[in-house]
Amino acid sequence: METQSLRTDDCAEEIIETYADMVYRIAVSRVGSATDAEDIFQEVFLRYVRYACRHAFESEEHRRAWLIRVTLNCSKTFWSSAWRSKTVPLEERDCGVQFAGNEQSELFESLQALPEKYRTVLHLFYFEDLTTEEIGKVLHLKPTAVRMRLTRGRERLREAMKGGCCNES
Amino acid sequence: MNRKTVEEIKEQLRAPDALVKRTKYLAAAQRERTGGRTDARVRHIGRRVALAGMCAALAMVLAMPYLTHSNDGRPITNGSGQVVQGSENPDGFAGFELTVLAAPASAGTDGKVQTNEARLSKLGPTVEIPLADYSQLMSSVPGLPITIELMDETQADEIRVRAESGSLMTWDIESGTIDQAGGEYVVHEVWTNDPKLAAGSETVYWGPGDAEEAVIVVTAYQDEKEVGSQKIRIHKENGKYYGSLV
């Protein structure tokens, strides 16, 4: 990825453009709803603007890790929000994410059904192409713990999909 | 996991264009607001400098008789008998260089800032109460602030603040918005211990309501396990609330 100005308050639009899909995917993966993911998406980038006005990022990896961490934190806060948990019963929530094919829908729904700790690691590994070391840094886990979660997550996913193929690489 | 299916899901989970456009607009507005705040701070310092300048000018006017007259009361003159004004005195005095530091109005005369935000107590390296005391009559803060400083070496991935009485809230200073969190608040600005990722801090405010005293518990979790906990006891005395470690 081309290195951009690391004092980033002057290129927020480019950063939003670059990381929009990543932030959106992580948010959808964590909250399971497109509408809620949009709220988190905006919150993440507004925080980014506030943060980038006062701080510089050391590298593009630093910036990406910051965005992933803040997206995860915002998603966690979203779920733990007392207002949210009291006003929208889980069973009434509309996912709002639809896929063209059954295979994608089945995989996505199976992923969503996994416990959060497995879902996050699987998502970062397969969808955002982070290495186990990078995931460890973002989630404050040792790489061995990340690999353990990956293995267990894949096992659970395989069970959930009843014989589906889970190749790792 | 089938790579092709993953790629198809990724393709279908793209951020909607309208969302991206809206966020860019909001980000630009946010940037302007942040810039506006900086300008306000500069104007504030500018007002202080102007005030200091006026004080210095007044001091100069008052001191003029002493600067232009020798100790015996006679005017100081140069070789041609002209009265020397201020910096043009014959001893080579080059004038005043006035340095003004932006400091709170309560700054002392010894040059040290007598801040009214003396840190009352510290909970290890991470939690502090920045106000010495809090009164419900204070309009500058919505409650007793509790700041959780997240250092680079912070190991916790989640910090929860729990109030056994009263209530917790957050306050967005820029917009003035107060969010009631109730009895428990999860600190979300927790960074990794990777030194490349910056540390941050977050302040949660405790509002007493009708409570005369309260215990606030700050608990750190790592990988869903409790790794540390601290208690702050708050009590009321003469209409003010004070915090202390338990």
Side-chain angles (χ1 to χ4, degrees):
Chain A
M1 185 179 297
E2 187 182 340
T3 304
Q4 299 174 45
S5 163
L6 297 176
R7 185 80 190 181
T8 47
D9 53 334
D10 57 346
C11 57
E13 289 199 0
E14 289 175 42
I15 299 304
I16 293 171
E17 196 74 50
T18 306
Y19 292 103
D21 292 342
M22 181 193 81
V23 168
Y24 183 73
R25 276 196 304 265
I26 295 173
V28 169
S29 152
R30 288 296 289 255
V31 300
S33 153
T35 312
D36 296 337
E38 291 193 8
D39 290 343
I40 292 166
F41 180 94
Q42 285 187 354
E43 176 64 20
V44 168
F45 284 111
L46 291 182
R47 283 184 187 205
Y48 174 82
V49 171
R50 285 198 294 269
Y51 184 83
C53 284
R54 297 189 297 268
H55 303 86
F57 290 94
E58 291 178 9
S59 62
E60 205 52 47
E61 286 69 33
H62 180 197
R63 192 201 318 268
R64 184 168 74 143
W66 189 94
L67 285 166
I68 292 172
R69 183 69 247 175
V70 172
T71 308
L72 294 172
N73 286 340
C74 285
S75 306
K76 188 185 281 186
T77 306
F78 176 85
W79 274 117
S80 61
S81 137
W83 177 83
R84 197 81 205 167
S85 59
K86 283 175 186 167
T87 53
V88 187
L90 282 172
E91 59 274 17
E92 291 177 15
R93 293 172 67 84
D94 176 22
C95 173
V97 181
Q98 293 181 338
F99 296 97
N102 285 339
E103 203 174 344
Q104 295 100 313
S105 295
E106 191 187 355
L107 176 57
F108 184 77
E109 283 166 16
S110 302
L111 269 171
Q112 291 305 105
L114 291 178
E116 179 195 303
K117 60 182 181 179
Y118 299 127
R119 189 168 77 233
T120 302
V121 168
L122 285 171
H123 180 91
L124 294 179
F125 187 78
Y126 285 106
F127 288 82
E128 308 308 333
D129 299 319
L130 266 66
T131 64
T132 51
E133 285 75 18
E134 288 170 329
I135 296 171
K137 283 180 182 173
V138 171
L139 298 181
H140 315 189
L141 294 170
K142 291 179 180 170
T144 50
V146 174
R147 285 193 280 274
M148 180 67 77
R149 287 189 184 188
L150 269 178
T151 305
R152 289 180 181 168
R154 278 192 292 256
E155 282 170 8
R156 287 193 177 216
L157 188 63
R158 192 179 295 122
E159 285 169 18
M161 295 182 74
K162 295 179 181 173
C165 180
C166 292
N167 300 321
E168 64 178 274
S169 58
Chain B
M1 198 178 297
N2 188 318
R3 174 55 63 183
K4 183 168 169 281
T5 312
V6 168
E7 290 302 326
E8 285 167 353
I9 291 176
K10 281 174 76 170
E11 190 57 36
Q12 290 175 54
L13 276 185
R14 294 175 68 95
D17 288 342
L19 173 65
V20 174
K21 199 178 283 183
R22 194 165 66 235
T23 307
K24 283 180 182 175
Y25 173 79
L26 289 171
Q30 171 87 48
R31 256 182 67 190
E32 275 183 25
R33 249 201 349 240
T34 311
R37 191 182 55 180
T38 307
D39 290 345
R41 194 183 301 135
V42 170
R43 283 198 299 273
H44 177 70
I45 293 170
R47 277 198 297 272
R48 284 176 181 276
V49 171
L51 184 63
M54 284 166 61
C55 290
L58 182 63
M60 286 281 288
V61 169
L62 293 174
M64 194 60 74
Y66 303 99
L67 292 173
T68 57
H69 290 72
S70 61
N71 287 340
D72 59 5
R74 287 177 296 142
I76 297 173
T77 57
N78 60 14
S80 56
Q82 292 172 315
V83 175
V84 175
Q85 298 284 334
S87 62
E88 294 176 355
N89 76 56
D91 297 328
F93 175 59
F96 293 101
E97 184 179 342
L98 187 63
T99 304
V100 179
L101 300 175
S106 55
T109 51
D110 58 356
K112 290 180 182 173
V113 174
Q114 307 296 311
T115 173
N116 59 357
E117 292 189 354
R119 289 172 178 178
L120 173 66
S121 62
K122 276 199 161 193
L123 299 177
T126 56
V127 182
E128 61 187 49
I129 305 171
L131 277 185
D133 55 57
Y134 166 71
S135 160
Q136 284 171 302
L137 298 176
M138 285 181 177
S139 59
S140 56
V141 284
L144 179 71
I146 300 164
T147 299
I148 293 105
E149 296 272 1
L150 302 160
M151 319 299 282
D152 280 343
E153 65 269 23
T154 299
Q155 296 291 320
D157 54 23
E158 184 174 291
I159 295 174
R160 287 177 182 268
V161 184
R162 229 173 36 249
E164 293 177 0
S165 54
S167 63
L168 299 167
M169 66 198 92
T170 57
W171 179 34
D172 185 340
I173 296 173
E174 285 174 27
S175 65
T177 310
I178 292 172
D179 282 333
Q180 293 289 346
E184 185 175 57
Y185 179 70
V186 181
V187 178
H188 47 266
E189 297 285 14
V190 178
W191 314 114
T192 170
N193 56 355
D194 181 347
K196 284 184 176 177
L197 296 186
S201 71
E202 188 158 327
T203 301
V204 58
Y205 296 83
W206 176 79
D210 296 325
E212 295 277 319
E213 58 179 22
V215 173
I216 298 194
V217 185
V218 182
T219 311
Y221 297 87
Q222 187 180 26
D223 202 12
E224 299 166 4
K225 287 179 189 167
E226 186 179 318
V227 291
S229 183
Q230 279 281 15
K231 283 185 181 175
I232 303 164
R233 181 174 168 273
I234 296 170
H235 70 282
K236 190 177 183 183
E237 202 173 304
N238 298 328
K240 288 184 176 177
Y241 291 86
Y242 299 87
S244 57
L245 285 176
V246 177

